[in-house]
Amino acid sequence: MRAAALFWLLLVLAAALYLGWRLHEGLRFRTDLLALLPREAQDADAQHANDVVTAALSRQVMIMVGGPDRDQTRAAATAIAAALTQPKLMELTTDSFGKDRLRRIGELYFPYRRGLLSAQDRQSLLEGKPEAVSLRALSQIYGLVGMADAKLLQRDPYLLLPDFLTHLPVPLSRLSLDDGLLALRDGGDYWILLAGQITGDPYALAFQAAFGDALDDAVAAQRQAHADLQVLRLGAVFFAKAGAEQAMGETSTIGLVSVLGTVLLVLAIFRAVRPLGLTLVAIGTGVLVSLSACLLLFGELHVLALLFGVSLIGVAVDYSLQYLSEIFALEGGAPRERLRRVWLGITLATATVAIGYLTMFLAPFPGLHQIAALAAIGLAASWATVMLWLPALDHSRRPRHGERVLSWAGAFLGWWLRPRSPWWGWGGAALLLLIAVGGWVRFHPDDDVRRMQSLSGPLMAEQDRIQQLTGATGGTQFFLVEAADDESALQTEEALIDRLGPLLAEGALAGFQAPAQYVPSAARQRQNRELVHRELDGPLLAQHLGQLGLDQLEPPPAEDAAFLTLDQAVAKEGALGFLGSLLLTGGKGALHVVKLDGVARPDALAGAAQGLAGVRLIDPAGDFSQLLAKYRHRALGLLALSAALMTPLLIWRYGWKTAPRVIAPPLLAVLLAPALRAWFGASFTFFDGMALVLVLSVGVDYSIFLAETSAQRQRVTMLAVAMAAATALLSFGLLALSSVQAVHAFGTTMLIGILLAFLFSPLARTARPRPEPSR
Amino acid sequence: MRRFFLLLAVLLAGLGPALAEGPTDKRLSEGQVLRGQFLQERHLQGFANPLRSEGRFVLAPGHGLIWQTEKPFAITTVITAAGLAQEVNGNQTLKLEASKLPFLNQLYDMLSGALTGDWAKLEAGFTVTRSGDDQHWQVALKPRKADDPGMPFQALDVTGSAFIDEILLTKPDGDFDKLAFHDQAISGQPLSEAEAAAFATTGP
């Protein structure tokens, strides 16, 4: 025993040293909820595309700087941009909109102009109406908004290339270039857009802090000079930062209230400081060992796992309370004697609860693995501390107020002990059935991942304002086009674009960007050249030139000249920067993205992809919601599984006849908690399901404690269970106050479930343990 | 596009002083309409002859400008605060809403200044040289920033008497546009139905 206690001390010291070292190094926390979700490898290409697009989207940042005065606003925007780009926190893509860009685009496309047609011109030629193209060009040459340039006309008399260029889809069409900066006017205000990619992980706290501080400092400095400067922000990094700050704030508040509540409770019941010290030792070793073990196992922790982890205090404290409450027992006895009376109960409880937590490892959610590991290791550590250290550190005697404290517990137990007619039982059962049935009728699941995260209100308002100002829709849906090579991918996109045209007109979506719009397939370019040659080079050309009075033309490029390729377009740096983001690498063949803006009817878009080989509509938020639904079912499966795993242990211990009395209280809690939640209109999410898994484990704890106790010690055990429930409510229940919807749902279900498990726990007191197998 | 706006600004700016300094106060005000004929010659290098077009224009403060090319074929360009629209032979070929022309508002500020003879707003971007007398005057505009890519002309020379008579716009590569105006008249008559309808085409 002594050797084991010493060994445990060494282990705890090692854990403390490791945790201290990690804290010194600086802890890394992950903050995105999606990181908690499982990695499904069913479709590697879709997953890859999803990851690449999601990662690219999550790094995008838009900052708009606005003010009434153009020059002041420009100066402020330039200073803010410098504050972010000089420390390499962000790379601006709006930089590449310089005067060079148009020239580069021209250089890229010009040699291939005869294969590039705007949709309207192509349509006219396909319909055999080349005069329409001629007239369009003439009106542009003669009209007040003249585009005529002698050199251009000699090479492209129909102005085919300018028409192709002006019809290229341009994201953020409300903005225009003003002296090197992307700007727009709205009412009396002048706005500058700074858009780009952050250089770090938007979900890493350290980067969030560095980026956020640099921006805040720069804005504050500019505001000193111009008080009316407005700054709008849009980007995952801002939402993640706000969310992390909220979660960290909640963790410390909930943790503090939980610890304070537990401290006050222990002080009030024991009226001595030593039990408090012993409780804190048990909690402390649990938290310390589990935290350092999880950091060793996972490298980093998720903030949400930490939030759940903090609430473990409520469970870890149970074992020390079981032991400490024995001080009130009439038979008293030395510390080791008191431990002997409870050790089997707490060991059995630790084993069953650990089974409950470890079932979480069966769900492939990385975050849940962290929670399960935190819970199981923390509980085991607290158990070891109670078993090995507490009796040695304890010198307490039975306190004088012991009888009064026990009488409170006895009063609650007495309600159950009171003799009643069997109608009481039947009536109670009927009432419970009514509650359950009424609740389950109202029961409705909800898996929308967007409702699980709490998004900062002011940031949402800024996002709306930016979208309204720029015309960006911030959509996350896209088509994934998968093909053997780029050429076939481009041809597929051309077929897709034909189908999207009518949807655009109907308003099913606001816009889209496909690689094939920037670089038509070689087949399309060849067809365009043939069309131009057939329809425009004939007699019409002489007539067209005659109208213009132009007699000399530069010879057109050869018909068999090479076609423009995607590689060339991407390689021309600074010309079509965003084209690269539509082409994914790493797949087997070509993997292209068709980005969608302002999707109003996803079903219509899914229909557009039908029948086109290799085209799929990807909706990350929708996919995650589907996954949540799948895992909500899996959580219920885990619940059944963990009940099934516990049952043999309980039957082995209590026999067929009385084991149901032990399992009944937690089972009632698990069935009634979601029903009661549903009565109040709450929906059932995956997180409620996971809470029920824990309610089952904690509830089984209470049952076992009461089943293990003898008739004369029932009051002592009831007191310990009451205190355990109170501390659990203080920790888990407080999560109900969280503004993160997922945590709130988890907390509320825990609150109701633990309360029910506690209220029904005396049912287990009549279970008869079989003769103790060993001493 | 930008060149067009500058042209419009100059057109109106030229009107301002001319009208204000005329024998009677003919300053163009809300409710009045200036109508006239134009002849546009676009001289392009490599072309044997200039591209000639002619037609009518209607300038109405508070509404905008209708630029109606009749020869060699019918092109109607309408510009208002709401945006720009172009029709060829009755088919709309171009429509740009003001929201896609963010500097339209700014230019309108400049225009309104120009209309009241306030050259200061133009002087921010150009050196303005005036010569001649009220009956025969010249104004020469040169961009202050010679290498600004957003400034697609080298010089703008305006001559006028009661109204603007001629505008000469020289481009960096040697091409130039010549605009001559004649038969100009101011009337207090309201816009015709056709004119009002034309202005409405730029709206959403």
Side-chain angles (χ1 to χ4, degrees), chain A residues 138 141 144 150 176 179 548 550, chain B residues 4 42 45 47 51 73 103:
Chain A
L138 289 175
I141 297 164
L144 191 58
S176 69
D179 204 0
L548 288 175
L550 188 65
Chain B
F4 164 74
R42 187 156 282 169
Q45 295 198 335
F47 280 61
L51 300 173
F73 42 82
F103 297 96

Side-chain angles (χ1 to χ4, degrees), chain A residues 439-440 442-448 451-452 625 628-639 669-693 695 741-742 744-746 748-750 752:
Chain A
W440 285 100
R442 284 166 174 78
F443 182 82
H444 62 280
D446 179 9
D447 306 304
D448 194 330
R451 280 196 285 276
M452 308 274 175
S625 299
L628 273 182
K630 209 194 272 176
Y631 286 101
R632 177 170 53 77
H633 292 126
R634 202 158 289 186
L636 294 176
L638 278 182
L639 186 64
V670 161
L671 288 174
L672 287 174
L676 276 170
R677 283 260 289 152
W679 270 97
F680 293 101
S683 55
F684 189 84
T685 66
F686 159 74
F687 299 93
D688 294 273
M690 291 314 294
L692 290 181
V693 174
V695 166
Q741 192 54 37
H744 167 80
F746 184 86
T748 314
T749 300
M750 287 299 280
I752 299 173

Side-chain angles (χ1 to χ4, degrees), chain A residues 127-207:
Chain A
E127 288 171 4
K129 294 178 190 160
E131 315 78 40
V133 177
S134 166
L135 196 61
R136 193 258 310 135
L138 289 175
S139 78
Q140 283 168 347
I141 297 164
Y142 279 97
L144 191 58
V145 194
M147 306 192 187
D149 170 325
K151 277 187 201 137
L152 178 64
L153 282 172
Q154 282 164 356
R155 293 159 162 177
D156 186 7
Y158 293 105
L159 297 179
L160 297 175
L161 184 62
D163 210 53
F164 172 81
L165 291 178
T166 49
H167 285 92
L168 279 181
V170 182
L172 311 177
S173 54
R174 282 203 61 197
L175 289 144
S176 69
L177 194 65
D178 177 27
D179 204 0
L181 290 172
L182 272 184
L184 61 83
R185 275 205 173 256
D186 184 76
D189 285 333
Y190 178 91
W191 289 94
I192 299 277
L193 173 71
L194 304 172
Q197 310 248 315
I198 52 172
T199 53
D201 180 354
Y203 299 111
L205 288 181
F207 183 81

Side-chain angles (χ1 to χ4, degrees), chain A residues 498-516:
Chain A
D498 288 344
R499 297 183 182 192
L500 291 180
L503 295 180
L504 214 54
E506 287 168 26
L509 82 163
F512 63 90
Q513 291 122 47

Side-chain angles (χ1 to χ4, degrees), chain A residues 610-675:
Chain A
Q610 260 170 20
L612 288 177
V615 181
R616 259 174 309 179
L617 179 66
I618 308 270
D619 177 4
D623 290 351
F624 276 118
S625 299
Q626 277 182 3
L627 267 178
L628 273 182
K630 209 194 272 176
Y631 286 101
R632 177 170 53 77
H633 292 126
R634 202 158 289 186
L636 294 176
L638 278 182
L639 186 64
L641 186 72
S642 78
L645 284 175
M646 292 173 177
T647 307
L649 194 66
L650 297 174
I651 289 173
W652 165 78
R653 177 73 184 147
Y654 303 108
W656 286 103
K657 282 194 178 152
T658 56
R661 296 180 200 172
V662 181
I663 201 97
L667 212 57
L668 275 173
V670 161
L671 288 174
L672 287 174

